[in-house]
């Protein structure tokens, strides 16, 4: 069983190394320090962009450590550093009692730097340069130095709390399934299943990975399964004649890591709304703590049920015992199938979670212009967060890598995890 990090509240006074660990409730905010400037959101946005650059750079992200852990660590550190130096808001992991005046921007920048420097030492030069440029913008030396000390302490404590969270484990090998419905590696690479250890990683906010595990997968012999398989067989085939041109664009547009998409969306919304440091820190922390726990939760479900992907299901449909499905041995999907089981769909989990977190802060109606690292030069426009989430999730059917069953279960799991985090 896992222990939720969010239920651990740490009070550290005066920058001292000693800490007192409690297990119930969150302490009242500390006395207000230097107020954050309205433009302080730029600090958060800059570090988020830096991490996006890192995870998109080949070789920097460890192959067996999920990127959402890094985003959660970065933004939890920024958030708790801002809370410590402003006395406003509730920390997610611990409260640092900062004496005197401390600049929140300096604290946030130092905490962000120290987390990323620990996670990505090869990026030390770029991270140091970004930190120096941000600290240079803080005018009062005493406030800047106090903020730096607070940020360092927050980062050190946070990294220490997560040091043994299970993310460094060697992923166990998943034996290929043999019975109908069981997951097995997919063409063309037939790569082994990825992140088989991730369900055992300690959540940040959830009390356990399986709290919102979806219900059992529908019976292979039933009508729901047959309908879902026929839909993806027709729409998601590489040579499909029923998929529209716009559905093809959608499938390719949302193909990049979905947490990257939603962090880009959040950058656009936070920047466009002229949110200050406090709001920016809160939004990105909620968003990425939700994503980190949602990934732990969906891997729990994926490896609990171990459901085969559409490419396997369609090619071997003659073996599923359902007279309403037809085997197509040479069927191939529009997109390459990710190396993990189908149920639930990751895009649907993350997108629904992201939509709910952003809606909580900015309301249901928000004009979005979304771009894609997977399809450069294309912009898709939406009138709400939910509209973007729905398209992102359904795009995986058009891509041929998920069924509607995966999408619906993923959407519910994303909603459940987001609502839990927002209540915490």
């Amino acid at each position: 069983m896992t222990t939720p990090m969010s239920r651990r509240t740490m009070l550290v006074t005066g920058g001292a190394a000693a800490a007192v660990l409690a297990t119930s409730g969150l302490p009242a905010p500390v006395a207000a320090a230097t107020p954050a400037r309205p433009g302080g959101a730029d600090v958060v946005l800059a570090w988020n962009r830096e991490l996006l650059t890192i995870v998109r750079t080949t070789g920097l992200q460890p192959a067996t450590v999920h990127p959402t852990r890094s985003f959660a660590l970065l933004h939890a550190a920024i958030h708790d550093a801002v809370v410590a130096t402003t006395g406003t808001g509730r920390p997610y992991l611990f409260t640092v009692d900062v004496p005197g005046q401390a600049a929140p921007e300096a604290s946030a920048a130092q905490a962000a730097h120290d987390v990323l420097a620990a996670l990505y030492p090869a990026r030390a030069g770029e991270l140091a340069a970004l930190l120096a440029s941000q600290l240079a913008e803080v005018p009062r030396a005493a406030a800047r130095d106090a903020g730096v000390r607070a940020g360092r302490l927050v980062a050190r404590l946070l990294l220490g709390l997560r040091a043994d969270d299970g993310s460094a484990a060697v992923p166990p090998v998943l034996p290929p399934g043999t019975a109908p419905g069981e997951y097995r590696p997919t063409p063309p690479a037939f790569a082994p299943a990825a992140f088989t250890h991730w369900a055992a990683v300690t959540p940040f906010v959830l009390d356990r990975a399986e709290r919102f595990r979806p219900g059992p997968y529908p019976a292979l012999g039933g009508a729901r399964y047959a309908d879902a398989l026929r839909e993806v067989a027709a729409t998601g085939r590489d040579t499909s004649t029923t998929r529209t041109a716009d559905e093809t664009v959608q499938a390719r547009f949302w193909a990049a890591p979905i947490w990257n998409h939603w962090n880009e969306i959040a950058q656009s919304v936070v920047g466009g709304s002229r949110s200050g440091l406090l709001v920016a820190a809160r939004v990105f922390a909620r968003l990425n703590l939700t994503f980190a726990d949602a990934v732990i939760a969906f891997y729990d479900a994926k490896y609990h049920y171990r459901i085969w992907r559409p490419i396997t299901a369609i090619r071997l449909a003659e073996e599923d015992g359902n007279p309403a499905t037809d085997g197509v041995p040479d069927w191939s999907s529009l997109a390459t199938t990710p190396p993990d089981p189908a149920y639930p769909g990751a895009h649907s989990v993350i997108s629904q979670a992201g939509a709910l977190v952003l809606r909580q802060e900015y309301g249901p109606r928000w004009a979005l212009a979304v771009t894609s690292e997977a399809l450069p030069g294309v912009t898709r426009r939406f009138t709400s967060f939910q509209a973007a989430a729905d398209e992102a999730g359904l795009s995986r059917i058009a891509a041929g890598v998920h069924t509607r069953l995966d999408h619906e279960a993923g959407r519910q799991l994303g909603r459940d995890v987001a609502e839990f985090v927002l209540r915490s």
Side-chain angles (χ1 to χ4, degrees):
M1 177 167 299
T2 54
T3 301
M5 303 299 286
S6 65
R7 296 308 180 200
R8 298 179 179 179
T9 299
M10 197 172 273
L11 176 62
V12 183
T13 60
V20 178
L21 188 65
T23 56
S24 62
L26 288 168
V30 297
T34 306
R37 297 196 309 269
D42 293 343
V43 174
V44 183
L45 296 175
W47 287 105
N48 196 67
R49 284 192 295 268
E50 179 65 24
L51 183 50
L52 281 167
T53 298
I54 289 171
V55 298
R56 290 166 174 162
T57 302
T58 302
L60 290 184
Q61 179 66 34
T64 61
V65 177
H66 203 277
T68 52
R69 178 180 184 268
S70 297
F71 281 98
L73 286 170
L74 170 67
H75 289 294
I78 291 174
H79 177 269
D80 285 2
V82 171
V83 170
T85 49
T86 62
T88 303
R90 285 169 37 134
Y92 276 99
L93 299 175
F94 45 75
T95 290
V96 175
D97 184 7
V98 179
Q101 300 292 300
E105 294 91 343
S107 182
Q110 189 69 53
H113 167 271
D114 289 4
V115 166
L116 293 190
L119 297 178
Y120 306 100
R123 195 78 175 177
E126 293 86 345
L127 298 174
L130 176 55
L131 174 63
S133 68
Q134 291 186 341
L135 293 181
E137 295 295 317
V138 181
R140 293 195 301 126
R144 180 178 63 241
D145 293 345
V148 165
R149 288 193 296 271
R152 284 175 178 163
L153 183 57
V154 168
R156 187 174 79 246
L157 292 171
L158 176 55
L159 290 168
L161 282 175
R162 297 298 303 188
D164 299 315
D165 64 2
S167 60
V170 176
V173 175
L174 183 73
T178 56
E182 292 181 347
Y183 175 77
R184 63 218 59 189
T186 55
F190 295 96
F195 293 106
T196 53
H197 63 309
W198 212 251
V201 171
T202 304
F204 284 82
V205 182
L206 290 180
D207 53 353
R208 60 188 188 278
E210 70 275 16
R211 168 174 272 276
F212 298 113
R213 183 186 290 166
Y217 195 71
L220 300 190
R224 285 189 66 205
Y225 176 78
D227 289 346
L229 198 64
R230 286 198 301 267
E231 178 185 28
V232 70
T235 305
R237 192 171 189 173
D238 55 353
T239 59
S240 173
T241 58
T242 62
R243 185 180 56 245
T244 68
D246 190 57
E247 286 174 330
T248 300
V249 170
Q250 293 174 31
R252 292 172 174 158
F253 181 89
W254 293 102
I258 192 61
W259 43 89
N260 289 2
H261 273 292
W262 283 94
N263 269 285
E264 291 275 14
I265 290 170
Q267 284 185 175
S268 174
V269 172
V270 170
S273 66
R274 300 179 62 82
S275 300
L277 176 60
L278 292 170
V279 172
R282 180 175 67 242
V283 168
F284 276 96
R286 284 177 171 174
L287 188 74
N288 286 289
L289 288 166
T290 299
F291 288 168
D293 279 5
V295 170
I296 294 169
F298 76 57
Y299 275 122
D300 164 77
K302 282 177 178 287
Y303 289 113
H304 178 77
Y305 293 113
R306 301 184 181 185
I307 300 300
W308 59 10
R309 286 282 185 161
I311 192 168
T312 308
I314 295 167
R315 289 184 178 189
L316 301 181
E318 298 299 333
E319 303 176 12
D320 64 17
N322 193 321
T325 62
D326 296 316
V328 185
D330 64 346
W331 191 92
S332 290
S333 54
L334 175 65
T336 301
T337 300
D340 56 34
Y343 182 79
H347 270 54
S348 303
V349 175
I350 295 296
S351 295
Q352 185 61 60
L356 286 184
V357 171
L358 293 176
R359 174 176 176 158
Q360 171 82 6
E361 189 70 44
Y362 296 103
R365 307 291 295 178
W366 195 276
L368 300 174
V370 184
T371 58
S372 170
E373 63 188 272
L375 201 60
V378 175
T379 299
R380 297 191 65 79
R381 300 183 184 278
F382 305 91
T383 59
S384 68
F385 301 118
Q386 190 61 54
D390 289 343
E391 181 178 290
L394 292 169
S395 75
R396 303 304 275 170
I397 301 174
V401 300
H402 277 297
T403 69
R404 191 169 292 271
L405 299 173
D406 307 329
H407 167 65
E408 291 172 351
R411 185 170 55 185
Q412 185 61 52
L413 178 57
R415 180 181 296 115
D416 289 339
V417 174
E419 290 175 348
F420 186 94
V421 173
L422 291 172
R423 290 194 304 267
S424 299

